[in-house]
Amino acid sequence: MDLLSTLFSLEEELSKVIGSYVQAFFICPRQVWLMSRQVCPDEDNIFLQIGRLIQKQAYSRERKEVHIEHLALDMIKRGEKTLVIAEVKKTSKAIEAARMQLAFYLYELKNMGIEAEGELLFPEERKKEILILTPEWEGKVEKVKQEILELINQPLPPSPHRGRYCSKCAYAEFCWA
Amino acid sequence: MQKTLYLFANGRLYRKDNTICVEGEKERKYFPVESIRDIYVFGEVDLNKKFIEFAEDKEIILHFFGYYGNYVGTFYPREHYNSGYIILRQAEHYLDSTKRLDLAKRFVQGAVANIVQVLKYYQNRGKDLESYLYAISLLEESVSSVSSVEELMALEGNIRRYYYESFNTILDDTPFILKNRSKRPPTDPLNALISFGNSLVYTKILTEIYKTHLDPRIGYFHTTNFRRFTLNLDVAEIFKPIYADRVLFTLLNKNVIKEDDFENQGGVFLLKERGRRLYVQEFEDKLRTTFYHRRLKRNVSYQTLIRLELYKIEKHLIGEELYEPFVSRW
Amino acid sequence: MYVILVYDVNVNRVNKVLKTARRYLTWVQNSVLEGELTEATYRALKNDLTRIIDPEEDSVLFYILGNTKYTKRELLGIKKGGEEWIY
């Protein structure tokens, strides 16, 4: 890739919010900034590998990983009334962040004219949660999108803060090197 | 933790039953593809494109060495990490001569600091290295005031000359003598050993660069010409004294590698296979040694330390934190 | 983690189990493989083997050693296989 096209794609990246930013935003804003520059985590990280594996293993009979424009949806199913989109997570520890990510997908789909309901799935815990996009959720999503755009357009990433997620985070080596 | 496979065997290296297989005259040996990060090919092996494609798919790096133990080249698979942002930053720091010189100086300062640590280590073990330490410390002071990369190169060359001279004191209980540093070709056993160790460090760092977002073609101290890997040479400056030279001193002082481990081919010296195997074993033991990392708050190996160093360089390029090279405390 | 894998499966599936296990571990002797795995590669291996074996008939055992520092291994007779990273 030549530098000019790299530069253009970079500018485009920084004007767009994607689902993984929303989820990460609640866990670590620094991670969102790094993700927006494709400074992706160390793939040797075992927790990251396990997460991917669970996503691959679970629900292998149903359709998986659907890309609609900038959205990467784990699963799409036909529900009773509407489409159901599902997000698969390893644990429910960061459930708030997962809910927001799913709400973001529903919001973006609605803007494209697609009505859908959401499902949060935790295969390892055999847990499931339904999420419906309410006006209250819509407001929250709009606010978060704005905050994320401001964050990723900062010239520098927020400094690292040691939190409860650091010990298992794939970025830890990068942050604390 | 993925591992390195050092292949001295001759025969066929190929993909079999979705894993890596080496077939020699006597036996067929399988290696677990999911646990391999890189392969050092020393033996005379035949391999085909299917194998290269397999290596690419599994993100395994292949380093090739010639008959003399000389580094031939690397199969660096299509990069799986790609950050346009980091590449732009890397280029920016190369094109801006002030930024480039600043980074180049940091590599040299790190190299000298580790050279001094090595000398102090042997000074504490009864070797009289005072005059070398003094000469190097004088030159070290001028690193910050040089005004071009060329000047820095010359200064670093002078420091290295003193450093290599000190090898004769460190190794005074052994039959090995270093008259002067000769790289291509090595004209004495010690030069052959230094070159062998250095090429292991260069390639190890290249393997780790593959796991980051950095482009190995853009270096700062070593001249970039976009044909050759240079960033690994820069980073190697810091690690050569602790990884290669310390291993060399251990092997020679303990009489593990001996004079007859070298072969004289008309004035050109090469380390024979037994010596190479011993070196590689000691080198791997070194890389697997762990120590407590205070910022990361856990034990890390010397292997991982290379990766951490590369992350520090990335943070320097982003503009987040100035790069401070790793300095060994032992 | 260091893993020792021992299997006793129907002869029709012996080859499949061996081939799969060999992608992750090193063959030691008949029906025994071992090696260092990460949590993730261990899961992947288990996942692959689950798809091959018949749970009514076959048996695959994993001995998991957190650390090989405190283990000892002795050999009687000839060495058939095993880990060799300098080969």
Side-chain angles (χ1 to χ4, degrees):
Chain A
M1 209 194 300
D2 69 290
L3 288 183
L4 258 175
S5 54
T6 308
L7 198 60
F8 282 127
S9 69
L10 206 62
E11 278 175 3
E12 201 191 328
E13 302 293 339
L14 298 185
S15 62
K16 203 159 54 192
V17 175
I18 58 172
S20 48
Y21 296 178
V22 178
Q23 137 99 11
F25 186 69
F26 288 88
I27 292 162
C28 175
R30 176 179 169 80
Q31 188 183 337
V32 177
W33 192 96
L34 293 170
M35 285 163 88
S36 71
R37 266 85 176 161
Q38 276 81 47
V39 179
C40 44
D42 164 22
E43 283 184 21
D44 284 355
N45 183 283
I46 55 170
F47 301 103
L48 196 84
Q49 289 179 355
I50 292 171
R52 293 212 177 128
L53 210 63
I54 288 172
Q55 215 164 56
K56 234 166 75 179
Q57 279 170 22
Y59 317 105
S60 51
R61 280 170 292 122
E62 292 160 77
R63 276 184 69 188
K64 302 176 296 184
E65 269 281 343
V66 182
H67 290 262
I68 302 175
E69 290 190 15
H70 59 293
L71 310 176
L73 311 170
D74 282 350
M75 242 162 67
I76 292 195
K77 302 185 285 191
R78 193 188 297 276
E80 277 175 26
K81 278 178 287 177
T82 61
L83 212 59
V84 176
I85 61 161
E87 177 64 27
V88 184
K89 293 281 181 234
K90 185 169 146 242
T91 73
S92 56
K93 264 187 245 157
I95 195 159
E96 268 310 314
R99 280 181 190 136
M100 191 55 99
Q101 182 182 3
L102 191 55
F104 167 79
Y105 286 144
L106 296 173
Y107 176 89
E108 297 288 286
L109 285 173
K110 192 181 169 192
N111 282 348
M112 293 177 206
I114 303 169
E115 271 216 47
E117 277 181 19
E119 257 179 26
L120 271 183
L121 303 171
F122 306 96
E124 298 262 299
E125 300 172 5
R126 298 178 192 284
K127 241 163 65 179
K128 180 168 126 176
E129 191 181 292
I130 309 279
L131 195 142
I132 313 259
L133 189 71
T134 57
E136 192 193 342
W137 270 117
E138 285 183 31
K140 279 193 208 168
V141 169
E142 275 162 23
K143 188 164 159 281
V144 164
K145 273 183 74 173
Q146 195 48 43
E147 286 172 356
I148 290 175
L149 276 178
E150 276 166 30
L151 166 71
I152 62 180
N153 279 290
Q154 296 290 320
L156 286 176
S159 343
H161 287 287
R162 219 177 284 275
R164 67 187 176 109
Y165 291 105
C166 288
S167 66
K168 290 186 178 183
C169 176
Y171 284 88
E173 287 189 349
F174 182 89
C175 291
W176 307 109
Chain B
M1 192 59 147
Q2 287 184 308
K3 287 189 168 135
T4 296
L5 170 62
Y6 295 92
L7 211 54
F8 288 94
N10 303 324
R12 196 150 76 94
L13 171 61
Y14 64 119
R15 172 182 184 162
K16 171 115 176 94
D17 301 331
N18 283 319
T19 194
I20 294 168
C21 185
V22 178
E23 194 171 83
E25 277 176 13
K26 280 176 292 175
E27 58 169 2
R28 185 190 275 171
K29 177 109 181 153
Y30 293 89
F31 295 93
V33 66
E34 304 292 344
S35 304
I36 293 179
R37 170 199 353 230
D38 49 5
I39 306 178
Y40 281 67
V41 183
F42 290 103
E44 293 306 320
V45 302
D46 286 335
L47 52 86
N48 57 19
K49 183 163 138 278
K50 226 166 86 187
F51 181 78
I52 299 278
E53 283 176 40
F54 191 42
E56 192 268 338
D57 182 45
K58 295 292 177 185
E59 292 165 0
I60 294 172
I61 295 156
L62 311 172
H63 300 298
F64 295 96
F65 290 79
Y67 177 73
Y68 296 98
N70 51 309
Y71 172 59
V72 173
T74 293
F75 169 66
Y76 196 78
R78 194 167 55 90
E79 281 155 273
H80 63 304
Y81 289 129
N82 209 334
S83 164
Y85 177 75
I86 293 284
I87 294 177
L88 280 173
R89 287 290 185 186
Q90 232 186 306
E92 178 201 353
H93 280 76
Y94 179 79
L95 295 169
D96 181 321
S97 57
T98 314
K99 285 179 177 159
R100 178 180 169 196
L101 183 62
D102 174 55
L103 256 175
K105 280 181 184 175
R106 289 171 190 274
F107 288 122
V108 173
Q109 276 157 345
V112 180
N114 284 307
I115 281 174
V116 168
Q117 285 307 105
V118 169
L119 293 180
K120 280 187 180 159
Y121 177 88
Y122 287 100
Q123 171 96 340
N124 289 337
R125 273 154 189 76
K127 307 282 182 189
D128 180 16
L129 298 163
E130 200 50 57
S131 60
Y132 297 111
L133 277 164
Y134 180 68
I136 289 173
S137 73
L138 284 184
L139 291 171
E140 189 182 11
E141 283 171 25
S142 12
V143 171
S144 56
S145 57
V146 299
S147 53
S148 72
V149 174
E150 292 70 31
E151 243 181 278
L152 187 62
M153 276 270 177
L155 182 62
E156 193 259 357
N158 287 335
I159 292 171
R160 286 218 172 261
R161 232 182 323 275
Y162 281 114
Y163 177 52
Y164 284 125
E165 222 180 286
S166 78
F167 278 35
N168 291 323
T169 307
I170 297 172
L171 297 170
D172 58 6
D173 297 331
T174 75
F176 295 97
I177 294 169
L178 189 72
K179 283 188 215 82
N180 48 34
R181 180 86 178 98
S182 60
K183 290 178 192 168
R184 262 161 297 204
T187 51
D188 58 72
L190 212 42
N191 268 302
L193 209 52
I194 293 170
S195 292
F196 184 70
N198 287 350
S199 61
L200 290 183
V201 176
Y202 297 144
T203 43
K204 270 285 155 190
I205 293 170
L206 194 53
T207 298
E208 288 301 323
I209 289 177
Y210 183 70
K211 305 268 180 190
T212 70
H213 320 90
L214 295 163
D215 189 317
R217 291 167 298 184
I218 308 175
Y220 301 93
F221 179 53
H222 293 85
T223 331
T224 293
N225 55 21
F226 283 97
R227 282 188 317 164
R228 191 180 163 187
F229 300 129
T230 49
L231 184 63
N232 58 328
L233 305 184
D234 284 2
V235 180
E237 290 295 319
I238 290 152
F239 292 110
K240 275 185 320 192
I242 10 177
Y243 289 18
D245 302 336
R246 281 288 302 275
V247 164
L248 177 147
F249 296 141
T250 306
L251 290 169
L252 297 184
N253 278 329
K254 287 188 180 158
N255 205 22
V256 179
I257 288 181
K258 306 179 185 74
E259 274 175 297
D260 60 10
D261 283 313
F262 298 88
E263 203 175 304
N264 181 350
Q265 294 216 336
V268 177
F269 281 80
L270 70 100
L271 181 62
K272 290 193 278 193
E273 185 179 317
R274 193 193 89 102
R276 280 184 224 164
R277 282 174 178 266
L278 289 166
Y279 194 108
V280 155
Q281 182 64 59
E282 185 70 27
F283 184 69
E284 270 300 306
D285 288 349
K286 178 94 195 173
L287 288 175
R288 280 185 213 162
T289 313
T290 58
F291 64 93
Y292 186 74
H293 191 285
R294 279 180 290 181
R295 279 189 73 184
L296 207 52
K297 290 186 190 290
R298 65 173 173 84
N299 281 334
V300 299
S301 65
Y302 277 90
Q303 170 93 43
T304 306
L305 188 65
I306 301 175
R307 174 102 49 97
L308 298 181
E309 204 65 8
L310 298 172
Y311 286 153
K312 279 156 67 183
I313 294 166
E314 283 189 21
K315 288 198 272 192
H316 180 98
L317 297 172
I318 290 174
E320 195 183 8
E321 208 174 316
L322 289 174
Y323 173 52
E324 295 294 339
F326 170 79
V327 180
S328 169
R329 272 171 288 133
W330 306 276
Chain C
M1 59 208 256
Y2 200 82
V3 175
I4 301 166
L5 183 157
V6 182
Y7 61 89
D8 181 344
V9 301
N10 183 295
V11 69
N12 294 320
R13 289 180 291 275
V14 162
N15 252 331
K16 273 190 175 169
V17 169
L18 174 64
K19 281 181 187 175
T20 300
R22 230 166 21 201
R23 284 171 38 220
Y24 298 87
L25 299 165
T26 309
W27 182 82
V28 180
Q29 58 185 42
N30 279 344
S31 308
V32 184
L33 294 99
E34 63 179 32
E36 186 79 33
L37 293 179
T38 66
E39 193 74 43
T41 44
Y42 175 55
R43 266 173 187 260
L45 168 62
K46 274 201 298 190
N47 189 39
D48 287 352
L49 289 176
T50 308
R51 286 200 211 135
I52 296 169
I53 62 163
D54 176 352
E56 306 283 301
E57 204 182 336
D58 302 336
S59 160
V60 177
L61 274 176
F62 299 93
Y63 295 92
I64 298 152
L65 313 175
N67 195 329
T68 45
K69 252 184 206 159
Y70 307 106
T71 63
K72 203 176 134 187
R73 105 190 247 172
E74 285 183 68
L75 171 75
L76 284 182
I78 64 158
K79 182 173 179 283
K80 296 203 164 183
E83 281 199 293
E84 275 175 272
W85 294 100
I86 302 174
Y87 179 68

